[in-house]
Amino acid sequence: MRALIVNDDGIDSPGLALLARIAVEAGLDVQVAAPHVERSGASASLTALQDEGKLLLSRRPLDDLPEVESYAVEASPALITFLASYGAFGTAPDIVLSGINLGPNTGHAILHSGTVGAALTAASHGARAVAFSLNGTAPSQWKTAELVARRALDWAIEHSRPGAVLNVNIPDIPVHELRGLRSAPLAEFGAVQAEIGEVEDDGDISRALPITFRAVELDESNDSDAVLVCQGWATATVLTMPFEVAEADLDTLEFAHSDSSQQ
């Protein structure tokens, strides 16, 4: 099985190197292509730094995996997986592994995640995909991340289907404190929310809008992914592409143009 390893923290992230090693040890045919710098929050944007219409990339072998083909790409994570699906880096991947992200990707805020965006883009092109995230802005419990990632990857190889994403979040706690791995629905919010202040007008054309971010106070009465991660569980949620609400009532929206038969 051909596997592409990508992330949004950049080619030098320790989470990327760990995920690549896990994939190699699982027997996958591994290739790494990751942004040359951090591209967190890129969602599924298809953006790149171009030189006369050309995508710039360079070989960047990983220290512990010199035999693995690895590229630093001047592009967003989603664009990397988009191009990979068309064979830009060789044979198109059967599975895309995104992460291991430095910080959680829980709740509906996954909409903004470059980690999840890369995985969803891969899924939209028919690949299997798994997004991995380790809670905390400066996580340290990589043994816990490795344990959960191995389990999730084994499951994905055996049971996941093309066009779906397994979104995995891992608490940044020692292995002996990990309570296990559970399936969970997305929380209503992500890990943080924005607070917008009053517009500051200096009387000229320039204005300032104060914005602060604060941690969300979780409703622990439900077993959402965000709640369970805070309680010491790793979580797994299956996401699908595309997002279509088949049961929506659009009868009052639809119409047929009266002149359509004459065009």
Side-chain angles (χ1 to χ4, degrees), residues 31-229:
Q31 182 180 58
V32 175
H36 72 301
V37 294
E38 182 182 351
R39 296 296 295 269
S40 297
S43 187
S45 64
L46 302 181
T47 56
L49 303 177
Q50 297 182 353
D51 181 11
E52 298 180 350
K54 299 176 182 179
L55 183 72
L56 302 180
L57 66 158
S58 59
R59 290 188 180 273
R60 289 283 294 274
L62 302 180
D63 291 341
D64 296 331
L65 298 169
E67 73 283 1
V68 172
E69 189 175 28
S70 180
Y71 294 97
V73 187
E74 296 190 21
S76 63
L79 182 58
I80 291 172
T81 58
F82 178 89
L83 296 174
S85 70
Y86 288 97
F89 309 110
T91 304
D94 303 297
I95 188 169
V96 170
L97 309 178
S98 185
I100 299 172
N101 191 63
L102 307 180
N105 278 304
T106 57
H108 292 172
I110 60 170
L111 171 68
H112 311 294
S113 167
T115 301
V116 178
L120 287 171
T121 300
S124 72
H125 287 80
R128 306 178 189 188
V130 188
F132 301 89
S133 301
L134 182 57
N135 195 24
T137 55
S140 60
Q141 301 300 323
W142 293 106
K143 289 185 178 180
T144 305
E146 181 175 355
L147 172 68
V148 175
R150 288 186 185 278
R151 174 81 173 190
L153 178 56
D154 288 345
W155 183 92
I157 292 172
E158 294 294 327
H159 302 289
S160 67
R161 59 181 177 83
V165 173
L166 184 67
N167 186 42
V168 178
N169 280 279
I170 307 162
D172 188 36
I173 56 178
V175 171
H176 69 272
E177 295 181 11
L178 180 69
R179 298 177 67 180
L181 173 60
R182 289 179 56 179
S183 62
L186 296 176
E188 183 177 357
F189 301 103
V192 297
Q193 280 186 286
E195 291 186 345
I196 311 299
E198 295 289 335
V199 174
E200 298 174 356
D201 192 341
D202 63 1
D204 202 347
I205 59 173
S206 62
R207 295 185 177 185
L209 183 64
I211 302 173
T212 57
F213 293 92
R214 63 175 179 82
V216 174
E217 186 174 340
L218 297 173
D219 177 8
E220 298 192 11
S221 64
N222 63 70
D223 288 338
S224 69
D225 56 353
V227 169
L228 290 176
V229 168

Side-chain angles (χ1 to χ4, degrees), residues 217-254:
E217 186 174 340
L218 297 173
D219 177 8
E220 298 192 11
S221 64
N222 63 70
D223 288 338
S224 69
D225 56 353
V227 169
L228 290 176
V229 168
C230 289
Q231 293 176 346
W233 291 92
T235 65
T237 308
V238 175
L239 312 172
T240 59
M241 284 287 291
F243 301 115
E244 179 181 347
V245 182
E247 67 274 14
D249 182 7
L250 299 180
D251 290 346
T252 57
L253 172 65
E254 297 174 351

